[in-house]
Amino acid sequence: MHKKPRVQIWFDRKAGFLEVIFEKKHGYFRETSHDQVMEKVDRQGHVIGFHILGASRIRKPLEIHLA
């Protein structure tokens, strides 16, 4: 039987921190074109998640292109 992919989402309302992880594996965070957003990538450079700092203060949609 094939496992369904699971997305993990964490939101800390007090800190305004949002994290979304598409795949649970080793990786590291790197900068994006927006100073509030970091993307998490694996060793091959595939995006496996992202986080947003100050997410609760965002008042309009963010347009970010992840690698």
Side-chain angles (χ1 to χ4, degrees), residues 1-41:
M1 181 174 217
H2 182 53
K3 278 183 143 180
K4 291 184 180 181
R6 296 181 69 168
V7 174
Q8 294 180 329
I9 301 171
W10 170 259
F11 180 63
D12 182 330
R13 184 182 308 262
K14 189 173 183 179
F17 178 81
L18 172 69
E19 183 173 73
V20 179
I21 301 296
F22 307 123
E23 193 173 348
K24 190 171 183 169
K25 63 194 270 190
H26 292 288
Y28 61 94
F29 284 96
R30 66 181 180 194
E31 294 180 353
T32 67
S33 59
H34 195 283
D35 62 349
Q36 287 179 264
V37 181
M38 299 281 284
E39 62 185 4
K40 185 174 185 181
V41 296

Side-chain angles (χ1 to χ4, degrees), residues 39-52:
E39 62 185 4
K40 185 174 185 181
V41 296
D42 63 12
R43 292 180 185 166
Q44 291 77 36
H46 301 114
V47 176
I48 56 175
F50 65 91
H51 72 234
I52 302 174

